[in-house]
Amino acid sequence: MTNSLMTASHAAGKGSVPDAVFAVLQKANAAIAAIGKDKVVNASIGTIYDEDEKFTYFSTVLDYLHQAAPEEMMNYAPISGLPEFLSSAIDQVFQGNQPENTFAKAIATPGGTGAIRHVFVNYLEPGQKALVPDWFWGNYRTIAEEHMRSIETFTMFDEENKFNIPSLKEKVVQLLTAQDNLVIVFNSPAHNPTGYSLTEKEWNEVIDFLKECAGDKHKKITVLLDIAYIDYAGEAQATRKFFRLFNGLPKNLFLAIAYSMSKSFLIYGMRSGALVGLSSSEEVIEEFSRVNAISNRGVWSNGTRGAQRLLVDVTKNPELKAKIEKERAGFRELMNKRAVIFMEEAKEVGLKTFPYQSGFFITVPAPNPQAATAKLTKDHIYALHLKKGIRVAICGIPTYKIPGIATKIKDAL
Amino acid sequence: MTNSLMTASHAAGKGSVPDAVFAVLQKANAAIAAIGKDKVVNASIGTIYDEDEKFTYFSTVLDYLHQAAPEEMMNYAPISGLPEFLSSAIDQVFQGNQPENTFAKAIATPGGTGAIRHVFVNYLEPGQKALVPDWFWGNYRTIAEEHMRSIETFTMFDEENKFNIPSLKEKVVQLLTAQDNLVIVFNSPAHNPTGYSLTEKEWNEVIDFLKECAGDKHKKITVLLDIAYIDYAGEAQATRKFFRLFNGLPKNLFLAIAYSMSKSFLIYGMRSGALVGLSSSEEVIEEFSRVNAISNRGVWSNGTRGAQRLLVDVTKNPELKAKIEKERAGFRELMNKRAVIFMEEAKEVGLKTFPYQSGFFITVPAPNPQAATAKLTKDHIYALHLKKGIRVAICGIPTYKIPGIATKIKDAL
């Protein structure tokens, strides 16, 4: 417990634990300064770096921004977002796979973070818990705690490294005994930090179970689907087919989708995304739109207009869309190449990983992650230690540096 | 009370009152479509429009953005903001007028809204009240209510149209009886919606009084200074001199400054600003920096990097700064020209206004504002009705349309 000087009592403890990613990054940079970039593996960066270890982007997007009209860059967007952006966000999310007989609306948010913030605040009472897998983007906890909510975890993988539906079910039942509102976070496809995507079979089982739970009409169940990495999980149609499974939901089972332009357009620093609501009930969607618009106004006012206009133009202009998709596919292949090298070596040397399929990160379970990552620094490998594992950010490691990493991790465990 | 469908109980009522600005804007646009732009006065726009009623901007900023480096536009900024941005924000806020023997730090926020959000959340306990003048930007209330706080008002002007310090004092004393944390919002210079700026004499009296209040060491008093319009209140040195009065503050009297690039650089839609903390205590400033960084992470993650880099370059590059200042001075003069016409006519026809000095808005007290603005629409004038007055957004009305507005308002009252 930190004593407050000027802040309110609930705020005093914030930030008393130093940021882990930042600490790793600092050490990696110090090593680079000391022995040179070529000898250091910085496995902690969460953005795509090219084979020269430089920040990378879509040149089509750069050209677009460098020619953007002044009003589109600089004027306010409406509070909820440009109306065309909202329909474009829905288009980009579903790409033709919106389930039949459903209603969808969108609200512009600063990246996925802002979307998650709104769901935790507006779909949970203060003090309630959101359910997340035990392998999760640490910021879910920060967002929950910033807003006087907290998180509960289920065990994401069973002993056979399969998605652990029994654990999910157990925790859902437990939480629904204690609270009437429930938010369950799924980060799929291309889960951060494991690279896992739920299969259609798993989704079916999850959705059927949640439909059962929603038989109790006092319960309000929200599936919060974080699709930050969806565009690196495969072709648009393949990665979006599972949305069709969310049909015929009861009114009290609601799907909230956190869509982010950060990775999909590599404009992380422009802070643009959307919260898309999907329901079988038009009323629920009207409520969603009304409530979250006011939350926009009362937290950050409105969103980055330039990024919103980009999404509108991508949606309207097939040529622009195709150019970006081509560039994106190139990076997807690049990350896949890196991942294949790592995963094959891991298999060879008997290093267990979680079932990576796609995305920016591979995660290795570790009994003592902090000791292991410390050991790895002797080999000049800088990776983030999680509570029970080590995260290897293949998005930022050039292909030529991948061979040997799995072996060294195996040795460090 | 609105019943909740899927949202948490506290969220259900959000947005049940339609947005007033939007409604006025819709009517103005309908009138323009019907009878033509030349015959309609849209007095509801909160951004600067030029004499052709077009959105306007600094061409220097456009050139800058059109040449910005890809990483600066697209990569993440650090959670608190680029370190150079944080020092630049402090530079831009004080421009040499930081009081002696004080400590200052900054945190990047999406515009002023984000800065206000952090202060309401981190410097008030849930359920407590922020004190604002009775003429205030309506969003203060939205921000407070979004975060389970509320607002209390003091009477901003007395019967002689002077800043009403006795009312402020009375409400401060009342609130400090009920709560240990107090946030008092001042929107000065160039207050929205009246265009008023506190004088040095008034600031002295306010600060002396608050120092007295802070004699009770159980109290934590935060002055939240919203300076969104500071760069339209005059030359940098003249508008910033009053900062020097905040010297020798006790540790439990804290200054939080909401700085926005929205108006200062006319990049409203890029969502960039900063919360700058100032204290005589280094500890208080360290706490400020630590706590608000985590709040960034837990609400919107990080800020718009391109705008941050712009401020850094403006601060480092005197030529760039001078060019922008020259453009800004042009718009300041333009608004002044519009205001002078309105204010002189108001005086001639005996229309009482609040003591406008500078800024985007002039406000006229009105016993029945809604009826008066409705009457004005018959003259094709579309202005925002406030609770007890009418706001005339001279920032958006071309000079040639100003003559006659004051007279018509007088007639409509």
Side-chain angles (χ1 to χ4, degrees), chain A residues 250-325:
Chain A
K251 192 171 168 180
N252 60 333
L253 177 51
F254 175 59
L255 178 62
I257 302 165
Y259 171 70
S260 173
M261 295 181 72
S262 298
K263 283 88 182 175
S264 288
F265 292 87
L266 303 184
I267 52 168
Y268 323 87
M270 290 187 76
R271 314 308 305 131
S272 187
L275 177 60
V276 175
L278 183 92
S279 172
S280 58
S281 155
E282 191 168 10
E283 271 185 315
V284 165
I285 287 301
E286 290 306 322
E287 179 188 61
F288 164 83
S289 172
R290 169 173 58 79
V291 163
N292 289 294
I294 297 296
S295 288
N296 267 8
R297 188 62 170 150
V299 187
W300 46 68
S301 266
N302 42 65
T304 310
R305 182 170 174 138
Q308 292 183 17
R309 182 57 67 194
L310 167 64
L311 198 75
V312 171
D313 286 335
V314 165
T315 308
K316 282 202 301 202
N317 181 341
E319 204 185 324
L320 183 64
K321 191 179 182 199
K323 280 171 78 176
I324 289 173
E325 281 178 351

Side-chain angles (χ1 to χ4, degrees), chain B residues 46-115:
Chain B
T47 53
I48 302 181
Y49 271 38
D50 66 15
E51 297 294 68
D52 296 323
E53 296 182 66
K54 293 226 162 66
F55 175 80
T56 194
Y57 56 92
F58 300 149
S59 59
T60 311
V61 170
L62 183 65
D63 292 347
Y64 178 92
L65 294 174
H66 277 176
Q67 295 168 45
E71 180 158 8
E72 297 306 330
M73 289 297 277
M74 302 188 210
N75 200 355
Y76 286 120
I79 289 166
S80 297
L82 293 167
E84 286 180 289
F85 169 75
L86 302 180
S87 56
S88 298
I90 293 169
D91 273 10
Q92 289 297 317
V93 165
F94 295 115
Q95 304 212 18
N97 294 280
Q98 182 178 337
E100 280 173 25
N101 303 317
T102 55
F103 299 89
K105 285 209 169 191
I107 291 283
T109 58
T113 305

Side-chain angles (χ1 to χ4, degrees), chain A residues 198-226:
Chain A
L198 270 78
T199 63
E200 282 213 20
K201 187 161 168 284
E202 286 160 349
W203 271 125
N204 266 323
E205 196 177 339
V206 168
I207 293 168
D208 284 347
F209 168 69
L210 294 177
K211 281 181 180 170
E212 262 175 55
C213 295
D216 179 347
K217 296 302 168 200
H218 291 102
K219 303 300 178 187
K220 299 174 179 187
I221 303 172
T222 299
V223 170
L224 171 52
L225 187 58
D226 179 350

